[in-house]
């Protein structure tokens, strides 16, 4: 079950995600226009509203909205001023770009950057140890600095 | 012939030497710490040493069946497509945290973290076994191995003349595993993956919140049926190895992932069989016990953390107080003695309307508290409460740390990595699991296997490599 406020003025469907609005009373702004709607939900069911409250300040924005009669034009989560910021997506590392790190969370080297120095033997075979000092002297140097600064931990 | 007049220490019950006598005097806790000694795994023997296994697998589910063997000491050889490797290397979570390299001919392409834990301790070779030129090398590997796990569509290896029917002719002791979606039967061409397994086996239908609560059926965030199925295959392999010791013969194991998940349904199936009742989802509450569920607390334990999982989501706690005195105590703590008056027996409390009222009252009480405050208040009163921990908290948890469940691995190729893998399985005092390395680049052991083990000359290997056959 997912409750909606279908704004008749601008023909926008505002989706209220069911967990958040399980027991909720307050005002929501339409993602399509400046309308503000009062609702009161109890145990996931609409108990009062939606009632138009023109000019009042909204408590919250919808999480997502679309216009089904308008070719399903979407107003995605996190659209400023229209939908709620999507807190699951705040960090650049969640946006599908490879996050290249040289050091693990505890500050020791990992082999995580590109391009890699070639180390191949015959037919792509590779040795059983990666000698960071030899293959990546600049990372080794950076590591020594980190040790000195106390940025490397045991756990 | 034993001399009856002499008492020999080895005939007596109890410790057999001074060392064992000391061990017997140890408190049990200390004894466990000594015999399991996390961190000392590599000083002990490996139970499956001497077993050689081939892995022509991809993704998580079938690779994991082989990783289990490798962590127990079997020599496992993973075969990947030349230059490309297991697609799982490119299928890590969308916040790609690449470790490099995939292969030295592709220095810009890395392997993602999704690949971790599923192929540990293995040797990595490449082979395009569609090509007739490579058949001989493949068959020679089979002759020198105890078994193979594959995950191609049913019948593919048969078409390529390398199914159980062909391989048992070469090596009658060979144990052959096919692991995949549906297996033979009406849905033979159906592929599968974890979410499909969870859905098709009926498991997702009993996971998540009821629709009356605004809920949906829910898949588990991680690929738990992949991991679970892989382990179930390993159990079958170990049984097959034991069977071979008795008979000298190999066997074929056919493992359908969508079938495996039905095992997790517990009483759901017998419930239907006996009463015709289709089990419903009940979310974080228990259908048989109340209070016995997960509640949402109002405040985060980490209000100042930038990471939203900590800042907003570290708010759940398990509360268990289902017997009458505990429930009475809980009602007193949350200031709702009226609930105790209303629901004095478990029978009253487990009814849906009662659960709705009770959990609502609990969450109202917790609305102005952090999860830690809730857990502390309830624990101090002698009730059972636990935070729902996230990975950071599990990492920091002293209990897991002392047992070595999660630990840092200085991987020989990839450097410092935090892993659980083999250490999250059961402990073994004499022959523990261990992780030597997490994975190796594509084709990293071509020379080791083709030249050193099978004896092909280096010129042949270079020729295959030039032609993209390996
Ligand atoms: Zn509107």
């Amino acid at each position: 079950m997912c409750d909606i406020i279908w704004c008749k003025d601008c023909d926008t469907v505002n989706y209220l995600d069911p967990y958040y609005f399980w027991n909720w009373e307050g005002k929501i702004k339409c993602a399509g226009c400046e309308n503000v709607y009062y609702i009161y939900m109890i145990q996931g069911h609409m108990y009062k509203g939606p009632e138009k409250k023109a000019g009042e300040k909204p408590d919250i924005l919808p999480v997502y909205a679309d216009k089904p009669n308008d070719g399903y034009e979407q107003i995605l989560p996190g659209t400023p001023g229209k939908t709620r910021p999507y807190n699951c997506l705040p960090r650049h590392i969640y946006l599908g770009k490879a996050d290249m790190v040289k050091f693990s969370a505890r500050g020791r080297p990992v082999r995580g950057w590109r391009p890699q120095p070639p180390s191949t033997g015959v037919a792509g075979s590779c040795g059983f140890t990666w000698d960071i000092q030899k293959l990546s002297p600049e990372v080794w140097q950076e590591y020594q600095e980190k040790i000195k600064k106390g940025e490397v931990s045991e756990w | 012939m034993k001399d009856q007049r002499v008492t020999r220490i080895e005939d007596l019950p109890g410790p057999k030497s001074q060392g064992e006598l000391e061990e017997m005097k140890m408190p049990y806790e200390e004894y466990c710490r000594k015999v399991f000694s996390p961190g000392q795994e590599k000083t002990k023997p490996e139970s499956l040493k001497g077993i050689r296994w081939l892995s022509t697998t991809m993704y998580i589910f079938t690779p994991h069946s082989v990783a289990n063997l490798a962590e127990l000491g079997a020599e496992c050889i993973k075969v990947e497509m030349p230059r490309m490797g297991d697609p799982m290397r490119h299928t890590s979570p969308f916040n790609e945290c690449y470790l490099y390299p995939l292969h030295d001919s592709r220095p810009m392409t890395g392997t993602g973290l999704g690949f971790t834990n599923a192929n540990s301790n293995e040797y990595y070779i490449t082979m395009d076994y569609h090509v007739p030129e490579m058949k001989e090398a493949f068959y020679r590997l089979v002759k020198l191995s105890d078994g193979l796990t594959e995950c191609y569509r049913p019948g593919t290896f048969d078409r390529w003349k390398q199914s159980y029917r062909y391989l048992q002719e070469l090596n009658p002791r060979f144990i052959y595993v096919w692991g995949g979606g549906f297996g033979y039967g009406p849905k033979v061409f159906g592929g599968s993956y974890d979410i499909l397994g969870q859905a098709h086996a009926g498991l997702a239908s009993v996971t998540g919140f009821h629709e009356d609560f605004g809920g949906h059926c829910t898949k588990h965030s991680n690929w738990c049926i992949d991991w679970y199925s892989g382990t179930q295959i390993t159990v079958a392999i170990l049984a097959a190895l034991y069977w071979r010791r008795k008979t000298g013969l190999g066997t074929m194991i056919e493992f359908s992932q969508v079938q495996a998940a039905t095992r997790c349904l517990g009483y759901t199936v017998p419930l239907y069989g006996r009463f015709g009742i289709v089990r419903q989802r009940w979310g974080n509450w228990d259908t048989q016990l109340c209070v016995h569920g997960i509640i949402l607390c109002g405040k985060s334990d980490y209000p100042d953390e930038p990471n939203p999982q900590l800042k907003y989501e570290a708010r759940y706690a398990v509360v268990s107080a289902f017997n009458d005195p505990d429930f009475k105590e809980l009602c007193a703590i949350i200031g709702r003695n009226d609930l105790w008056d209303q629901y004095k027996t478990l029978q009253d409390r487990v009814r849906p309307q009662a659960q709705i009222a009770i959990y609502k009252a609990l969450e109202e009480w917790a609305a102005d508290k952090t999860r830690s405050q809730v857990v502390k208040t309830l624990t101090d009163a002698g009730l059972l409460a636990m935070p729902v921990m996230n990975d950071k908290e599990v990492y920091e948890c002293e209990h897991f740390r002392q047992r070595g469940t999660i630990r840092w691995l200085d991987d020989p190729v990839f450097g410092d990595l935090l892993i659980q893998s083999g250490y999250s399985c059961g402990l073994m005092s004499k022959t523990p699991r261990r992780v030597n390395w997490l994975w190796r680049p594509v084709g990293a052991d071509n020379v080791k296997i083709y030249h050193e083990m099978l004896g092909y000359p280096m010129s042949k290997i270079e020729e295959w490599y030039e032609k993209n056959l390996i």
Side-chain angles (χ1 to χ4, degrees), chain A residues 18 43 87 93-94 96 98-99 104 106 108-111 113-114 116 119-120 123-130 155, chain B residues 94-96 98 100 104 107-108 212 214 307-308 356 360 395 401 406 408 412-414 416 440 443-444 446 462 465:
Chain A
Q43 308 287 19
N87 285 320
I93 59 166
Y94 277 158
D99 199 25
S104 69
R106 66 169 183 170
R108 298 185 187 206
V110 295
R111 200 180 185 185
W113 62 90
R114 66 182 185 177
Q116 281 281 309
S119 57
T120 320
S125 61
C126 104
F128 263 85
T129 49
W130 165 58
W155 259 92
Chain B
F94 57 95
N95 53 328
E96 304 279 2
Y98 282 131
Y100 288 80
D104 277 356
M108 303 297 275
D212 285 358
N307 187 328
I356 289 168
K360 184 169 183 286
Y395 166 71
R401 192 162 290 185
I406 288 189
W408 289 96
V413 170
F414 295 101
D416 203 35
R440 294 174 47 69
N446 277 337
E462 283 176 58
Y465 189 70

Side-chain angles (χ1 to χ4, degrees), chain B residues 72-90:
Chain B
L72 290 162
E75 180 188 337
C76 299
I77 301 169
K78 183 170 169 96
V79 188
E80 294 178 280
M81 276 296 138
R83 314 296 191 273
M84 300 303 296
D86 182 340
M88 193 66 216
R89 289 178 182 267
H90 320 279

Side-chain angles (χ1 to χ4, degrees), chain B residues 50 326 344:
Chain B
D326 284 353
K344 280 204 165 71

Side-chain angles (χ1 to χ4, degrees), chain B residues 368-386:
Chain B
D368 62 345
K369 296 173 184 66
T370 67
R371 181 187 57 174
S372 298
Q373 285 167 338
V374 165
V375 168
K376 184 169 189 312
T377 305
L378 299 182
T379 310
D380 287 351
L383 303 176
L384 202 146
M386 278 281 170

Side-chain angles (χ1 to χ4, degrees), chain B residues 335-347:
Chain B
R336 291 293 302 271
N337 289 322
D338 60 307
L339 288 172
W340 167 246
D341 294 336
Q342 216 177 334
Y343 308 113
K344 280 204 165 71
T345 69
L346 181 63
Q347 197 80 324

Side-chain angles (χ1 to χ4, degrees), chain A residues 66-85:
Chain A
D66 64 17
K67 297 186 175 190
N69 298 325
D70 211 358
Y72 278 100
E73 184 196 319
Q74 298 163 334
I75 304 169
L76 293 173
T79 308
K82 292 182 177 296
T83 52
R84 279 211 302 284

Side-chain angles (χ1 to χ4, degrees), chain B residues 1-72:
Chain B
M1 190 67 183
K2 196 181 134 197
D3 185 344
Q4 297 291 335
R5 291 163 301 179
V6 179
T7 304
R8 300 188 310 171
I9 190 168
E10 53 268 38
D11 293 337
L12 295 173
K16 302 281 182 280
S17 66
Q18 192 61 37
E20 282 187 35
L21 185 69
E22 292 305 316
E23 232 170 42
M24 287 304 290
K25 287 192 213 154
M26 271 184 195
Y28 182 67
E29 172 79 11
E30 204 181 309
Y31 172 75
C32 288
R33 283 174 197 273
K34 179 168 177 279
V35 296
F36 296 119
S37 54
Q40 301 301 310
E41 288 83 1
K42 287 176 190 171
T43 65
K44 297 180 181 181
E46 298 161 296
S47 56
L48 295 187
K49 196 158 187 87
I51 298 292
R52 183 179 291 134
W53 206 265
L54 303 174
S55 178
T56 59
T57 62
M58 289 171 268
Y59 298 101
I60 302 286
F61 146 47
T62 40
H64 185 226
S65 74
V66 183
N68 280 317
L69 302 174
E71 286 170 2
L72 290 162

Side-chain angles (χ1 to χ4, degrees), chain A residues 7 9-10 12 30 32-33 35 37:
Chain A
C7 178
D9 292 359
C10 69
T12 297
C30 171
C33 64
N35 274 332
Y37 292 93

